[in-house]
Amino acid sequence: MKVRFIAAAGALAAATALTACGGSSSGSDAAGGPEKLTVWIMKDSVSDAYLARFKKDFEQQHKDTALDIQIQEWDGIGEKVTAALASKDAPDVIEVGNTQVAQYAASGGVTDLGGKVGELKGEDWLPGLAEPGKVDGKQYGIPWYAANRVVIYNKDLFTKAGITGPPKTRDEWLQITGKLNKGTRQGIYLPGQNWYTLAGFIWEDGGELAEESGGTWKGTLDSPEALSGMDFYRSLQALGKGPKDSDEAKPPQADVFAKGDVAQIISVPGGAKIVEQANPALAGKLGFFPIPGRTAGKPGATFTGGSDLIVPAASAHQDAAYQVVKALAGEKWQTDLARTMSYVPNRTSLAKVIENNEGTAAMAAAAAQGRATPNSPQWAAVEASNPIKQYMTAVLTGSDPKKAAKDASESIGKTLNS
C-alpha cells in the first residue's frame, strides 16, 4: 500500500485544493476549445503551489489542452480507482501508490506504457519505483517520486559516547549502538514489528519475503537468508527498549525519541520535524545517515515507498495523457518536486538536486538500493492480516525462529494464492 510519508508535512501549503474531488471531466469546455484532461492527485502528495506551477507551464506548452487536477482522499481510494478503471468515463492520469500498480493492472484497465520507457529514461529509474510498475513484462506505472527510511540520530549523544561519525557497515552499526546503549540511554528505539525495516535486512542478506514460480506464490521468510536478516533485526532491537509487540506508531516513535535519551530511530527524514516540534531543544542536533549495508561504501537495502503515474485504458485522450506523465516524470518537474517536497526524484542521476539537504541526501543514497514488496495484486491482503508482524514478535519473545518463519511463510503463500 501507499506509504504516507511525513517527509512532506512541513512543506505542504495550507491553501485550498485546486479543485474538489470528483470524477472525470474529459472533453472540451466549448466547441473548438482545448481538450480537457482530468488528473487525479492524492491529497498531501504535493503542494498546491507545485501543482499550480505545473498546470500553468503545461498549458502554455500545450495550447490545445486544459488540465482539470482533482485532489483525491486516501481513504477508499482503492475502490474508487478500481471503479474508474472499469468505467467508460475514467480520468486520464492517476497517481497511485507504487505497490498498488499490480492490483490495478490485474483489472486490465491500465495502459501499457512499455514502449515509452526509453523516451522516459527508464534505464535511470529507481528500482524500488520501476519494478512495482512493471507487471508481466509490461510497464503500467511510471515512477513519480520516492521516499524511504534512514537513521535519524542524536548528535549530542553520539558525541558524549565518543562516537565521531555514522557507521559504515552493519557490524560497525551494532558496535556503536551497543556503546550508545548505556544506563538510561537507549542505543536505538526499534519497535518489534517495524516490518518494513526487517524487509530491508532480509533483502540485504539475499532473502525475499515471497517468490513466485509457475504462477504459484510461496512465502520465503524461512529461507536461510531471510532468517539471517531476522537475526540481525533481533540483535539490533535488543540494544534498546522498544516494545516487542507493536510497531513504530504505538507509541509514536517520534515522541519517544523527543525525550532526548534515545540515540537513534529508523524513519523517513521528515520524522525529524515531528521530533523537533515535540522537543524544540533538539532542533539542529539531529543527523541522518542511510541504513548501513554489509560492506562499506554501499547502503543497505531498504523499502522504497512513493507514487507512480498510470493512464487508464478508458481515457479518451491517450496521447495527451502520456504528455502529462512525460512532463511530471521529466527532469524539469522532477527537480522542482524534489526541492519543493524533499522527495527523492525518480532518477538516480537527479540525486544531486537534493544533496544540500542532509536528510534527503541520506534518503537518496539509500534509494539506490531501494526495493518494493512482492509484485502481486494480493499483497495488500497480506499486509491487512500481516503475519510478518506476528512472526517478528514471536522471535523477539523467544519462539523458535525457524518454526515461526515457516508458519508465517505458509500464511503469506496461502493469501497470495487465494
Side-chain angles (χ1 to χ4, degrees), residues 3-310:
V3 178
R4 304 176 200 181
F5 290 105
I6 57 177
L12 294 175
T16 303
L18 290 176
T19 66
C21 295
S24 172
S25 56
S26 298
S28 58
D29 291 327
E35 204 172 43
K36 183 180 288 185
L37 260 67
T38 301
V39 180
W40 282 5
I41 299 295
M42 299 311 302
K43 183 178 180 180
D44 291 350
S45 280
V46 294
S47 68
D48 295 335
Y50 173 87
L51 290 176
R53 290 195 300 274
F54 174 76
K55 174 179 167 67
K56 180 179 179 180
D57 182 80
F58 187 87
E59 291 178 348
Q60 287 178 343
Q61 300 296 323
H62 303 81
K63 301 293 186 182
D64 57 347
T65 302
L67 298 183
D68 178 16
I69 300 178
Q70 299 182 1
I71 306 302
Q72 304 295 318
E73 297 284 345
W74 281 108
D75 289 342
I77 191 59
E79 294 82 356
K80 188 171 184 178
V81 171
T82 300
L85 294 175
S87 75
K88 296 181 179 179
D89 189 30
D92 300 289
V93 178
I94 305 176
E95 174 197 354
V96 300
N98 62 323
T99 60
Q100 294 174 331
V101 177
Q103 174 186 348
Y104 297 140
S107 72
V110 184
T111 297
D112 173 20
L113 296 173
K116 304 293 187 182
V117 171
E119 183 178 341
L120 295 171
K121 310 295 184 185
E123 72 281 357
D124 195 25
W125 285 339
L126 293 173
L129 286 183
E131 291 170 2
K134 191 173 184 178
V135 182
D136 296 331
K138 298 179 180 180
Q139 193 73 44
Y140 295 106
I142 303 303
W144 191 21
Y145 66 81
N148 50 264
R149 288 161 177 76
V150 299
V151 181
I152 303 176
Y153 70 99
N154 185 316
K155 293 180 179 179
D156 281 355
L157 295 186
F158 267 54
T159 299
K160 291 177 181 178
I163 300 168
T164 58
K168 303 299 183 184
T169 66
R170 289 203 326 190
D171 287 343
E172 185 183 354
W173 192 19
L174 285 178
Q175 292 171 7
I176 71 165
T177 303
K179 190 174 182 179
L180 287 159
N181 191 39
K182 184 177 182 180
T184 59
R185 185 177 63 206
Q186 296 186 58
I188 189 169
Y189 180 81
L190 181 58
Q193 295 184 347
N194 190 334
W195 74 275
Y196 282 121
T197 295
L198 171 64
F201 296 163
I202 289 174
W203 293 328
E204 181 68 10
D205 282 354
E208 299 289 345
L209 302 178
E211 293 181 324
E212 183 268 339
S213 177
T216 300
W217 283 92
K218 178 183 179 182
T220 53
L221 293 176
D222 54 340
S223 72
E225 295 83 2
L227 286 168
S228 175
M230 182 64 224
D231 187 61
F232 179 81
Y233 189 101
R234 180 193 56 76
S235 298
L236 186 64
Q237 200 271 342
L239 299 175
K241 301 175 183 177
K244 295 177 172 59
D245 59 353
S246 64
D247 59 23
E248 58 269 43
K250 301 175 183 179
Q253 68 173 1
D255 291 347
V256 177
F257 192 48
K259 294 177 181 179
D261 58 355
V262 173
Q264 306 168 89
I265 57 171
I266 298 172
S267 170
V268 293
K273 296 182 184 296
I274 307 303
V275 171
E276 291 172 357
Q277 288 174 11
N279 184 359
L282 291 177
K285 297 181 180 180
L286 304 181
F288 310 83
F289 60 87
I291 292 175
R294 296 174 65 88
T295 59
K298 184 179 180 180
T302 183
F303 170 76
T304 298
S307 285
D308 282 16
L309 300 168
I310 63 172

Side-chain angles (χ1 to χ4, degrees), residues 1 103 376-387 411-412 414-418:
M1 293 185 290
Q103 174 186 348
S376 164
Q378 297 296 329
W379 186 256
V382 173
E383 291 193 16
S385 59
N386 215 322
S411 177
I412 290 172
K414 182 178 180 180
T415 300
L416 291 178
N417 291 316
S418 63

